[in-house]
Amino acid sequence: MSSDRLRWPTAARDTPRRLNAPLAGIGGWERALWLLVGVALVGDLLTTYYGLKIGLTESNPVARTAMERFGFGALVGLKLFAVGIGVCCRWIVPDEHGLLVPAGLAVPWTGAVVVNLALYATVLG
């Protein structure tokens, strides 16, 4: 059995990876998705904060428990941790699959913003 055809992520690149390499020199679609990650993250935090202020509850049991114990800052920490994991994953994932990482963060958080806004329309409307 030969392993000549296996391409490990670190062996598939000619240049060594640096810590900032996943975000340096990214293309148009990936850059747009990372921007959407940032916008969705902020949108999710703001809509969650407002929802908690008007009496709604967090549906994610991990986030709810963290916020009960440590306050709203715990949710910010969880989101930043998720982005950090995403950046690390992007560092490992081959470039041809690089769009999956920011999409995996942006899509659920954008969906959460839409759900939160729909809840506001139901509760306040």
Side-chain angles (χ1 to χ4, degrees):
M1 187 181 298
S2 174
S3 63
D4 293 341
R5 294 185 353 192
L6 290 178
R7 297 198 71 194
W8 300 100
T10 55
R13 293 175 177 83
D14 295 335
T15 59
R17 288 290 210 164
R18 294 186 315 256
L19 187 56
N20 64 350
L23 300 177
I26 58 176
W29 281 108
E30 188 173 355
R31 185 178 308 276
L33 281 172
W34 280 110
L35 180 63
L36 182 59
V37 167
V39 170
L41 181 145
V42 171
D44 187 25
L45 288 172
L46 290 175
T47 57
T48 300
Y49 182 79
Y50 181 71
L52 294 172
K53 290 296 180 190
I54 64 170
L56 298 174
T57 59
E58 173 63 46
S59 61
N60 180 336
V62 174
R64 184 175 54 242
T65 303
M67 286 190 299
E68 287 171 358
R69 294 189 77 191
F70 304 108
F72 188 76
L75 185 61
V76 175
L78 287 171
K79 300 287 183 185
L80 293 177
F81 179 73
V83 170
I85 294 294
V87 169
C88 290
C89 287
R90 180 58 189 102
W91 188 52
I92 296 169
V93 170
D95 291 336
E96 60 266 15
H97 302 296
L99 293 176
L100 294 175
V101 176
L105 293 169
V107 169
W109 285 342
T110 302
V113 170
V114 170
V115 167
N116 288 346
L117 293 174
L119 282 172
Y120 299 162
T122 303
V123 171
L124 300 175

